[in-house]
Amino acid sequence: MTTIAILGAGYGGMRAAKQLAKANTGAQIILINKNPYHYQSTELHEVAAGTKQPDEITFDIRKAVDSSVKVIIDEVTKVDQDAKKVDLKGSNPLAYDYLVNALGFESETFGIKGADENGWPILDIDTAVAARNHLEETLKRYKTSHDANDLHIVVCGAGFTSIEYLGELVYRLPDLAEEYGFPLDQVKIDCIEATPRILPMFDPKLADWGVKFLEGKGVTFHVSTPITEVKPDAVVSNDTVFPAHTIIWTTGVHGSHVIADSGYDQKRNRVVVEDDLSVKGHPEEFLVGDVSAVPNPDNGRLYPTTAQISIAQADCAADNIVARIKGGEPKKFVYKSLGTLCSLGPKTGIAEVNVMGHWKLKGAKASAAKKMVADRSVAELTDVPDIMRK
Ligand SMILES: Cc1cc2nc3c(=O)[nH]c(=O)nc-3n(C[C@H](O)[C@H](O)[C@H](O)COP(=O)(O)OP(=O)(O)OC[C@H]3O[C@@H](n4cnc5c(N)ncnc54)[C@H](O)[C@@H]3O)c2cc1C
């Protein structure tokens, strides 16, 4: 029997499993993930800030996939491309005829000293919960320590994750101040960014609105400020020191380490794939989501790593596997962005939406659009309509 192995049950892996099951090719579909649950990575910052609980953004993979899909809970350690097998941490290697590799992202530290040890990343449920616990314990401690640095928070990087985290953080702080009895007006939040612009993917007026909103809530942005070291109680940029007892590390991501460990021709654990998303020299193997790198034909630059692209890629990879099994022609990956949305807490945000025209939104409308996209993404991964409701 033909075996299709899907690695990772994030956006790309879940969507590929759904589409391949629907195609009914007679092949055995095996989905491998290290946890028994899927998490909505696009909402991890909410768990990290404490505005959502983990169970609001997770669901049981086995309940969400078609009953024809076999689910294995294990960690992938390596892909042997020539032998066409996947090594697993806890069980025997798995042979495949077709592979969808959707192992997703890990934190990028750019080799900065102390970043791994002293920064709190937001990567998955465990790290988001750890960041939340640290934040709460540190703020709570102020009541007895009276150490100003217990109220100082540094967010490293000003990309999407950082900005969305800051939005949730400033929303939650008044409740935390009441609960733990610390002076809200003494909380200091610094966001440190190496490049000169914040939110460069948005129209400058929208980006400016978003920045002013966060500044109005007490965030200080430091642009053109490259981080040179992260200490246990401070972030350093050359001669400037930003003391803080909570250091959130959200400077960017690279692909899964399994990519480098498996000997792929890669850069930052991302592999430039062929037009049909297969790996050069391996027409049976497809990379989707954050482990893949696809040049945008409009400007030659790589597409950003987003859930939206992972889902679109999974559709293309699934279609191409079905075509190969049935003797059809694979198709090229074509992507049309539906827009870019950035939340600034649960009630506001900014967005540029490409649906029936091009819309620039800010405030509650942008927030509503973002929530609609999040709900739709769940529907794109599973046929179980109320999977997020416990
Ligand atoms: C806080 C935050 C906010 C974001 N907001 C947005 C947004 O608003 N819009 C947007 O489009 N994108 C957003 N993104 C980016 C988006 O989440 C990623 O691009 C997307 O999750 C990538 O999907 P993926 O399928 O490649 O992998 P992932 O979603 O990362 O899934 C990978 C899966 O593989 C599993 N896995 C990893 N390693 C192994 C292993 N060795 N063995 C077995 N299983 C493994 C993981 O547990 C996970 O289930 C955001 C990211 C973050 C962190």
Side-chain angles (χ1 to χ4, degrees):
M1 191 192 241
T2 303
T3 298
I4 306 170
I6 303 171
L7 313 183
Y11 294 94
M14 287 296 299
R15 177 70 176 188
K18 176 176 168 173
Q19 300 299 75
L20 285 163
K22 214 192 291 175
N24 230 341
T25 57
Q28 182 179 39
I29 303 163
I30 303 179
L31 175 61
I32 305 157
N33 197 63
K34 62 180 167 191
N35 302 305
Y37 56 83
H38 161 93
Y39 50 87
Q40 296 284 98
S41 315
T42 58
E43 293 167 52
L44 283 169
H45 56 284
E46 295 167 67
V47 172
T51 50
K52 270 194 182 160
Q53 299 301 324
D55 67 358
E56 291 177 88
I57 72 158
T58 53
F59 56 76
D60 186 330
I61 295 166
R62 285 198 171 95
K63 287 186 186 152
V65 294
D66 189 89
S67 57
S68 63
V69 177
K70 181 178 173 187
V71 177
I72 297 179
I73 306 304
D74 206 336
E75 191 175 325
V76 175
T77 53
K78 201 176 151 196
V79 176
D80 186 334
Q81 293 181 276
D82 294 328
K84 290 203 266 176
K85 69 178 180 66
V86 176
D87 288 347
L88 302 172
K89 197 173 183 179
S91 34
N92 291 330
L94 178 85
Y96 63 83
D97 299 291
Y98 294 95
L99 184 75
V100 179
N101 186 334
L103 286 173
F105 63 90
E106 293 172 359
S107 178
E108 176 64 90
T109 60
F110 304 101
I112 294 169
K113 192 174 163 197
D116 261 335
E117 300 84 344
N118 302 316
W120 294 89
I122 304 175
L123 298 170
D124 51 23
I125 293 292
D126 289 348
T127 54
V129 168
R132 173 193 170 153
N133 289 344
H134 175 81
L135 172 78
E136 291 181 2
E137 280 158 20
T138 310
L139 293 172
K140 191 176 176 182
R141 193 170 61 205
Y142 178 81
K143 211 174 169 185
T144 45
S145 72
H146 298 290
D147 181 342
N149 288 343
D150 282 345
L151 299 184
H152 290 184
I153 301 160
V154 171
V155 174
C156 302
F160 249 95
T161 303
S162 305
I163 298 294
E164 292 201 314
Y165 173 78
L166 285 165
E168 301 298 320
L169 177 69
V170 297
Y171 178 84
R172 186 152 187 254
L173 276 172
D175 284 347
L176 288 172
E178 206 173 300
E179 191 176 346
Y180 297 136
F182 60 82
L184 190 57
D185 60 352
Q186 285 176 42
V187 173
K188 192 167 176 294
I189 308 169
D190 289 301
C191 176
I192 304 175
E193 166 61 38
T195 66
R197 271 189 64 196
I198 313 274
L199 296 170
M201 64 298 279
F202 283 101
D203 169 275
K205 277 192 190 152
L206 269 187
D208 205 38
W209 189 89
V211 168
K212 289 219 161 67
F213 173 84
L214 290 173
E215 285 176 339
K217 301 278 179 192
V219 178
T220 306
F221 288 98
H222 305 267
V223 292
S224 304
T225 306
I227 294 168
T228 48
E229 187 178 349
V230 183
K231 297 187 172 179
D233 55 1
V235 174
V236 182
S237 172
N238 297 314
D239 296 335
T240 313
V241 176
F242 299 89
H245 284 164
T246 298
I247 298 168
I248 302 293
W249 187 261
T250 41
T251 56
V253 295
H254 57 61
S256 162
H257 68 279
V258 172
I259 295 294
D261 293 353
S262 305
Y264 287 84
D265 183 8
Q266 51 78 33
K267 205 169 173 187
R268 295 176 65 199
N269 291 334
R270 297 180 75 196
V271 179
V272 178
V273 286
E274 303 283 73
D275 284 352
D276 65 352
L277 305 181
S278 68
V279 180
K280 196 172 183 190
H282 289 277
E284 73 289 351
E285 188 185 350
F286 295 84
L287 293 193
V288 308
D290 288 9
V291 288
S292 73
V294 181
N296 179 344
D298 293 339
N299 56 23
R301 289 165 55 192
L302 297 179
Y303 282 118
T305 50
T306 70
Q308 204 186 125
I309 292 179
S310 302
I311 291 172
Q313 287 181 305
D315 284 350
C316 178
D319 283 352
N320 286 342
I321 288 175
V322 174
R324 291 233 157 87
I325 291 174
K326 293 187 173 168
E329 275 299 304
K331 63 179 187 187
K332 285 185 183 176
F333 174 65
V334 180
Y335 176 64
K336 189 175 175 316
S337 169
L338 295 175
T340 310
L341 301 97
C342 179
S343 65
L344 299 166
K347 297 195 171 156
T348 191
I350 54 174
E352 289 195 45
V353 181
N354 305 320
V355 178
M356 290 192 282
H358 182 76
W359 304 89
K360 293 176 188 169
L361 308 174
K362 56 180 188 280
K365 280 186 191 157
S367 179
K370 173 104 192 181
K371 284 192 184 105
M372 260 164 54
V373 170
D375 289 347
R376 207 188 76 156
S377 89
V378 176
E380 285 174 320
L381 306 182
T382 174
D383 291 316
V384 183
D386 58 353
I387 192 77
M388 297 296 276
R389 274 185 229 124
K390 299 281 149 183

